[in-house]
Amino acid sequence: MKWIIDRFDDIRILRYEVPGFESLSLEEKQLIYYLNQAALCGRDIIYDQNGRYNLAVRRTLEAIYEHAETDRNTPKWEAFVKYLKKVWFANGVHHHYSNDKFTPEFSLDYFQSLIGATPENELPTDYGTKQKLINDVTRIIFDKTYIPKRVDQSQGTDMLTASGMNYYEGVTQAEAEAFYADMANPADTEPISYGLNSKLVKKDGRLEEKVWRIGGMYSQAIEKIVGWLEKAAGVAQPIQKAIIEKLISYYKSGDLREFDEYSIMWVSDISSKVDFVNGFIEVYGDPLGYKASWESLVNFRNEEATKRTRIISENAQWFEDHSPIEDKYKKPEVKGVSAKVITAAILAGDCYPATPIGINLPNSDWIRKEYGSKSVTIENITDAYEAAAKGDGFREEFVLRAEDRERMDKYGSLADNLHTDLHECLGHGSGQLAPGTKGDELKNYGSVLEETRADLFALYYIADPKMIELGLIPSLDAAWAEYSKYIMNGMMTQLARIQAGKDVEQAHMRNRKLISEWCFKEGKADNVIEKKVVDGKTYVVVNDFGKLRELFGQLLREVQRIKSEGDYEAGKALVETYGIKVDPELHEEVLKRYAGLKIEPYSGFVNPRYVPVTDGDQIVDVKIFYDSEYTAQMLEYSRNYSFLPSRN
Ligand code: ZN
């Protein structure tokens, strides 16, 4: 297997395997096939959500790529292709992680000549006049000052006007916040996720939600999704059939109560081997955290590896009871934490090409409290990362002590997977809110602090003697491998993902930095974590693992308090003090050393290809192929799974 199949800019494209697919039953293969089709049909939605020009840009660039009569053996053309590959990767013109708009490395003149060399009928015709299309596309690509960020959460700005995401139009932050504050009823113990599935616009001076449903916004794509879901329902077992039908009903009504009903059914189904996420789920792309990006992931359970997570979830109550958080914020009764290790079969929407390695859903706090949550570790994706990273020189460059490297080599992937299990399966699900706290008080700091909380839970428990007792790790060395790596990454190596001069933006990166820097400062008197400079190179070394664990526990207690009480000011202070500002000198050093290794800091994936074997109109088998190339797959998806108009 060739793992790395393309590289450009700061990106590498990997393949992933789907072990076990061949031995699934025919019904399971059929179900996966239909769910995969439903997954791919939502691709345009995420482009439009990420920015209102993205579909027009993608289609214009693809038209040029496929049809322009031009010399393709020039550096200019290469720069153009690189830009297109970046747009595909980010599902838009802003970097998927940093949120900054891409800078084209070709000139405006050249771009105009490419448009001129492309037959007019190949360019998008549904956007407006050709001139308007060219003006808008040119402006968004070349005008640096125009919508420079997809999400801007910096202090003192109106986050909605400053952000290029397409979840609001003509609405200020204050107006949006007031709109949703009005909607919320503090007495409602089962609140819907206000605003989750709509765009908020101002029309004739009044605010109005454009709901994403059949007959509403994004209808053309949702109709296709639903069409495939109907086929999926036709081959699913009764429990899952009911779940899929509920999802279909919600896609038709757009009613968030129905989404909650669906989520409850979905989280309660722990028996089905094949499972899926399909919908408007995560709110990271909205600076205010109301609106969810569309994503889909189809998967099936990895039975062998799931034994590990089963042990963890069976002991969920023990972990909750022994957590270092205040007793009043502990769940008296941990419900339905179901954890499993899964094999991803397809990645789509906001999960493609860059994808998470673990998922814990649903996001609704009251559903989690009443019905629990489903937590997954996506092991075939982690395996692909690991395989692609073999021998890339990273550890030799950044890990000072041989003992740390040895521990990482020996226990690195076990510790990584266990960290993900604990983070997803217990971390997000643990704790409870104080009476009267709604859960949205932390606003733009909510996502970061939630990830911080889940990470701290994982870090604290991975070094608990209980882990050895349960047979999850052979010795605490596995935990120390995780500690060394986590702190090194949080304080230093993750900076490789950020451009010189920029701060940390992404929620997970902010949380890792927050945790590491806080522990560095709080442990200074005892020299728990030390920055060492050897031969002009900076290293981060953990001197006292036991004390570090205590610090993780202390911080977990505080972050849980902040969440439980909705203490916005304290949360803000933590994130602003420890999670964002970068030391420019260290940053430059990391970038330089990283560049020397020639490792792209971000990875994403192409999906395998699934080909149904048919007999008449019956699918009698589904074959899987690992032969997709990046560009070909993107063009294929644009050809076969593109249903939205260029403007929505
Ligand atoms: Zn998380």
Side-chain angles (χ1 to χ4, degrees):
M1 183 92 164
K2 190 180 160 208
W3 296 97
I4 305 174
I5 61 161
D6 206 347
R7 336 170 74 128
F8 48 90
D9 209 50
D10 55 356
I11 305 286
R12 54 167 68 177
I13 303 292
L14 314 180
R15 283 207 174 98
Y16 64 93
E17 282 184 313
V18 188
F21 180 79
E22 275 93 354
S23 46
L24 295 174
S25 71
L26 176 59
E27 288 71 27
E28 288 162 345
K29 285 182 183 174
Q30 288 171 330
L31 181 59
I32 287 177
Y33 179 74
Y34 292 136
L35 291 170
N36 284 355
Q37 293 292 320
L40 295 175
C41 288
R43 179 168 175 255
D44 282 353
I45 298 176
I46 185 65
Y47 275 82
D48 194 70
Q49 289 182 314
N50 283 344
R52 62 186 179 278
Y53 301 111
N54 285 336
L55 284 171
V57 168
R58 189 191 83 202
R59 286 174 178 153
T60 303
L61 300 179
E62 286 173 349
I64 292 171
Y65 183 84
E66 294 201 284
H67 303 287
E69 286 184 37
T70 184
D71 183 356
R72 299 185 173 219
N73 293 308
T74 65
K76 290 187 284 195
W77 177 257
E78 266 173 42
F80 168 79
V81 172
K82 179 172 159 189
Y83 184 84
L84 172 56
K85 286 182 172 182
K86 287 160 73 172
V87 168
W88 280 327
F89 193 86
N91 297 302
V93 296
H94 298 92
H95 194 278
H96 73 293
Y97 222 77
S98 75
N99 293 316
D100 292 322
K101 194 161 78 171
F102 295 133
T103 307
E105 294 166 55
F106 50 93
S107 70
L108 176 57
D109 281 352
Y110 179 64
F111 184 62
Q112 281 169 340
S113 79
L114 289 177
I115 290 184
T118 306
E120 193 166 333
N121 61 339
E122 301 293 351
L123 294 168
T125 52
D126 61 349
Y127 186 82
T129 62
K130 186 184 173 193
Q131 201 49 53
K132 173 151 179 65
L133 172 79
I134 294 172
N135 288 349
D136 286 3
V137 166
T138 308
R139 183 170 183 211
I140 190 71
I141 295 177
F142 288 94
D143 183 347
K144 275 188 171 174
T145 60
Y146 186 54
I147 315 185
K149 293 188 86 71
R150 178 165 62 88
V151 179
D152 189 346
Q153 297 188 318
S154 37
Q155 285 287 301
T157 55
D158 180 311
M159 289 189 278
L160 295 193
T161 4
S163 302
M165 46 82 228
N166 191 25
Y167 294 119
Y168 304 85
E169 200 166 312
V171 182
T172 65
Q173 182 181 343
E175 286 169 335
E177 283 173 349
F179 182 83
Y180 287 113
D182 266 6
M183 227 178 237
N185 169 9
D188 188 354
T189 52
E190 300 182 352
I192 55 167
S193 305
Y194 297 105
L196 189 76
N197 67 336
S198 63
K199 178 175 175 175
L200 186 64
V201 298
K202 196 188 259 177
K203 213 175 145 193
D204 306 325
R206 289 188 44 209
L207 296 187
E208 185 184 297
E209 285 187 326
K210 287 170 80 179
V211 179
W212 305 323
R213 62 176 173 86
I214 289 189
M217 194 171 172
Y218 300 147
S219 187
Q220 301 93 327
I222 297 173
E223 285 163 38
K224 298 287 179 184
I225 295 168
V226 164
W228 287 108
L229 288 177
E230 281 167 351
K231 287 194 192 298
V235 296
Q237 295 295 310
I239 296 177
Q240 204 152 31
K241 182 174 192 288
I243 295 170
I244 297 170
E245 283 169 349
K246 184 47 107 178
L247 178 61
I248 292 171
S249 176
Y250 155 67
Y251 271 139
K252 288 180 176 168
S253 70
D255 180 352
L256 286 168
R257 292 250 169 252
E258 269 202 288
F259 179 61
D260 284 352
E261 288 162 21
Y262 158 76
S263 298
I264 291 166
M265 293 166 76
W266 177 83
V267 78
S268 309
D269 172 23
I270 50 172
S271 59
S272 300
K273 177 160 180 121
V274 174
D275 205 350
F276 67 97
V277 176
N278 182 312
F280 302 101
I281 308 291
E282 302 288 357
V283 297
Y284 301 110
D286 172 7
L288 301 185
Y290 291 110
K291 318 228 158 261
S293 59
W294 191 88
E295 67 176 43
S296 187
L297 167 74
V298 181
N299 62 80
F300 56 94
R301 192 165 49 231
N302 174 338
E303 306 291 357
E304 189 50 39
T306 293
K307 288 174 189 159
R308 187 182 73 219
T309 54
R310 200 161 286 149
I311 295 173
I312 293 171
S313 51
E314 278 166 7
N315 288 278
Q317 191 67 54
W318 187 92
F319 288 106
E320 186 74 2
D321 294 345
H322 292 79
S323 169
I325 64 176
E326 289 171 67
D327 284 337
K328 60 182 170 183
Y329 299 138
K330 289 179 186 170
K331 278 202 174 94
E333 202 188 326
V334 180
K335 281 183 196 153
V337 178
S338 78
K340 58 184 174 178
V341 177
I342 59 163
T343 304
I346 208 118
L347 310 169
D350 211 7
C351 295
Y352 170 86
T355 189
I357 52 170
I359 290 180
N360 183 307
L361 294 172
N363 283 328
S364 163
D365 269 317
W366 74 264
I367 297 180
R368 300 170 75 88
K369 196 171 162 213
E370 297 298 319
Y371 299 92
S373 62
K374 219 189 254 182
S375 155
V376 303
T377 306
I378 314 173
E379 204 149 296
N380 61 328
I381 295 296
T382 329
D383 288 347
Y385 280 128
E386 190 74 17
K390 280 240 159 72
D392 63 11
F394 174 81
R395 272 175 202 164
E396 291 68 20
E397 178 62 37
F398 288 104
V399 185
L400 178 64
R401 296 184 305 210
E403 59 191 273
D404 288 320
R405 283 197 297 271
E406 276 160 29
R407 273 195 291 258
M408 287 179 198
D409 286 341
K410 206 164 169 188
Y411 301 112
S413 65
L414 168 69
D416 267 358
N417 282 324
L418 203 53
H419 177 99
T420 309
D421 296 339
L422 290 165
H423 172 115
E424 299 293 347
C425 158
L426 300 181
H428 280 303
S430 99
Q432 63 180 1
L433 301 180
T437 304
K438 292 201 304 294
D440 63 356
E441 288 84 355
L442 303 176
K443 294 183 192 168
N444 50 318
Y445 301 105
S447 292
V448 180
L449 290 164
E450 179 55 21
E451 293 311 322
T452 304
R453 200 175 67 87
D455 257 2
L456 285 167
F457 195 98
L459 289 165
Y460 179 78
Y461 274 120
I462 200 168
D464 198 290
K466 186 82 175 173
M467 288 284 137
I468 301 174
E469 189 191 303
L470 293 172
L472 293 166
I473 54 171
S475 80
L476 287 180
D477 276 349
W480 307 153
E482 181 65 14
Y483 279 18
S484 312
K485 197 183 129 187
Y486 192 94
I487 297 292
M488 171 184 79
N489 186 43
M491 288 180 63
M492 212 168 108
T493 47
Q494 69 166 354
L495 297 177
R497 295 174 153 215
I498 299 169
Q499 280 177 15
K502 303 271 184 194
D503 287 332
V504 182
E505 297 277 354
Q506 204 270 351
H508 294 83
M509 287 179 73
R510 283 186 170 180
N511 102 63
R512 291 176 202 131
K513 184 166 185 307
L514 189 169
I515 292 173
S516 308
E517 300 278 2
W518 186 91
C519 292
F520 176 63
K521 181 158 174 257
E522 293 298 313
K524 213 156 202 172
D526 297 322
N527 205 21
V528 176
I529 299 168
E530 191 178 355
K531 264 189 199 166
K532 283 190 172 172
V533 180
V534 179
D535 297 334
K537 290 180 177 180
T538 310
Y539 299 89
V540 176
V541 173
V542 177
N543 289 320
D544 190 332
F545 291 110
K547 282 234 168 70
L548 180 57
R549 179 169 188 244
E550 284 172 30
L551 290 171
F552 288 146
Q554 274 176 38
L555 186 57
L556 174 58
R557 187 180 174 90
E558 171 62 2
V559 173
Q560 180 64 53
R561 185 199 64 76
I562 289 171
K563 174 170 177 164
S564 294
E565 297 172 9
D567 188 343
Y568 175 81
E569 288 304 326
K572 174 181 164 184
L574 266 185
V575 178
E576 293 288 338
T577 312
Y578 299 103
I580 299 175
K581 286 279 169 250
V582 173
D583 168 1
E585 253 171 65
L586 181 63
H587 190 189
E588 200 192 314
E589 182 194 322
V590 171
L591 287 174
K592 221 162 146 190
R593 287 165 67 186
Y594 215 88
L597 295 173
K598 302 205 185 319
I599 310 170
E600 297 82 0
Y602 301 99
S603 306
F605 295 89
V606 291
N607 286 313
R609 235 160 25 92
Y610 294 85
V611 179
V613 182
T614 51
D615 180 6
D617 52 7
Q618 284 294 307
I619 293 180
V620 294
D621 196 8
V622 179
K623 299 273 179 219
I624 184 166
F625 296 93
Y626 301 104
D627 56 358
S628 304
E629 295 298 333
Y630 179 65
T631 297
Q633 181 157 87
M634 290 298 172
L635 291 171
E636 189 223 320
Y637 285 180
S638 293
R639 206 162 35 241
N640 298 335
Y641 301 99
S642 186
F643 308 109
L644 293 184
S646 299
R647 293 171 81 176
N648 289 278

